[in-house]
Every structure is written in structure tokens, then in C-alpha cells.
Amino acid sequence: MDSAAVEPSLYTVKAVFILDNDGNRLLSKYYDPELYPSMKEQKNFETNIFNKTHKADNEISFLEGMTIVYKSSIDLFFYVVGSAQENELMLMAVLNCLFESLSQMLRKNVEKRTLLDNMDGVFLVVDEIIDGGVILESDPQQVIEKVNYRADDNPLSEQSVAQHITEKLALTSNVLQSAKEQIKWSILK
């Protein structure tokens, strides 16, 4: 087997961030602590990406050994970052799910002011799509149903937060149990 081949991994997404039309960070989540460990390195990376992409007409870019898919809307830029070996279609599915979920949640008004007014829901959407770099969901309808977020309702009550945390813990428990079973069966082979 080729030693240069990269082992497949569930940890597909390295980072997700949303910038405004001036390149300022509105939201960012980095899932690989070794990638850009300091805030300064993260902001420098985001600035480099923004400078390369804000006037471009593409949907994909490569920078600093990373594959970046992006989309713009009015005064926002959405980015999903993966490793150089990552499948661009997978990253694009995450980006489209993020954008469509936010579009539904914000009632098709995906702009900076509305996004900032509903930031709690934005974080819930990101957390439903990606957990620790692992893609959990790529269907915007499923994400919106799980988040159960309405822009004009009271979005976060103690009960809804507790329910969300309970569901995340149950999902994490199921993933860990599945991983244990796979490891057990691979050892027994």
C-alpha cells in the first residue's frame, strides 16, 4: 500500500466561518486545533482567504494546503474549509446546507444585520451540521426541524437548550457506541 496515501477520516471539515463584506469575522469555528491554534493565525488565514475570494467568481479555492469552498450573499461570505485531499463535493454539500438552513431560518433574508440578530440560531444550525469536524447532516430541512428555530419566536428557552443538549449527548453516545462496535469487530477479524 502507498505510504503517501491519506487514511480516510470522518473529520472532513477543518473550519467554518462567515465574514462580512469587509472581511470581518462574524462567526468562526475551527475543528482542528493544530491547524491555526491562535486567534491571530486564524484571523490571518481568514484575511488571506477573503482577499483571494471576495472578488472572484468561483466557488472553490486552494490556499495554504487547504481546500476552501465559499459562497457570497448580499453582504456576507460563507466559507467551509477542508484538507487538500478532501472531496470538494462533500464540502460544497456542507456549505449549501449551511446557506439553505440559514436562508430558511432567516426567512430568505440572509444579510449581516439579520444574521447578527439571530446569532444564537446560527450557532445551533452550524452545530447541527458539523460536530467536531464530522459532518452530521446535509439536508437543510432536517437541520431546521432539529433546531426548531423560528426567527420571530422566542428562540432559546431553558427547555429548548436542555432538549438540544440532551439530543446532542444521545447522538454522541450513539456515535461512540457504533465506533466501539466497529473497533471490536475489526479486532476480532
Side-chain angles (χ1 to χ4, degrees):
M1 179 163 197
D2 184 15
S3 62
V6 176
E7 288 291 319
S9 172
L10 289 175
Y11 300 97
T12 307
V13 179
K14 301 294 182 191
V16 172
F17 47 92
I18 302 173
L19 306 177
D20 67 9
N21 59 351
D22 295 323
N24 298 316
R25 175 193 284 187
L26 301 176
L27 173 141
S28 74
K29 289 195 97 171
Y30 285 77
Y31 300 105
D32 186 350
E34 297 172 8
L35 183 61
Y36 297 105
S38 74
M39 181 76 72
K40 183 179 179 183
E41 290 174 311
Q42 291 175 5
K43 288 199 172 215
N44 188 35
F45 177 65
E46 292 166 13
T47 301
N48 290 342
I49 290 175
F50 180 76
N51 290 337
K52 184 173 182 176
T53 61
H54 79 281
K55 292 185 181 176
D57 210 14
N58 305 323
E59 294 179 334
I60 186 169
S61 184
F62 299 95
L63 182 70
E64 298 180 21
M66 297 285 125
T67 302
I68 301 124
V69 294
Y70 60 97
K71 178 182 280 203
S72 65
S73 170
I74 304 174
D75 57 354
L76 298 173
F77 289 84
F78 298 83
Y79 296 91
V80 176
V81 180
S83 69
Q85 297 80 23
E86 205 53 66
N87 184 332
E88 295 88 358
L89 295 175
M90 293 281 287
L91 297 175
M92 189 57 80
V94 170
L95 178 65
N96 287 333
C97 181
L98 173 64
F99 184 80
E100 292 302 321
S101 297
L102 292 177
S103 181
Q104 287 179 34
M105 184 183 82
L106 302 175
R107 304 206 188 317
K108 306 280 187 217
N109 192 17
V110 184
E111 63 176 359
K112 182 179 177 179
R113 182 179 183 97
T114 312
L115 185 96
L116 290 173
D117 289 343
N118 296 283
M119 193 58 88
D120 49 354
V122 174
F123 275 103
L124 287 175
V125 165
V126 171
D127 288 344
E128 282 299 327
I129 298 170
I130 308 158
D131 186 24
V134 177
I135 301 170
L136 298 178
E137 188 62 67
S138 61
D139 180 9
Q141 282 302 123
Q142 292 293 320
V143 171
I144 289 298
E145 284 178 22
K146 288 178 185 174
V147 171
N148 196 16
Y149 187 92
R150 303 287 181 262
D152 55 350
D153 293 346
N154 184 8
L156 292 177
S157 66
E158 286 182 30
Q159 183 178 4
S160 67
V161 170
Q163 179 183 2
H164 182 74
I165 291 171
T166 303
E167 289 172 0
K168 289 295 250 185
L169 288 173
L171 178 64
T172 303
S173 176
N174 290 342
V175 169
L176 289 174
Q177 186 62 32
S178 175
K180 284 179 185 177
E181 288 294 317
Q182 289 177 356
I183 291 170
K184 179 176 87 175
W185 287 109
S186 68
I187 290 173
L188 292 176
K189 284 185 179 178

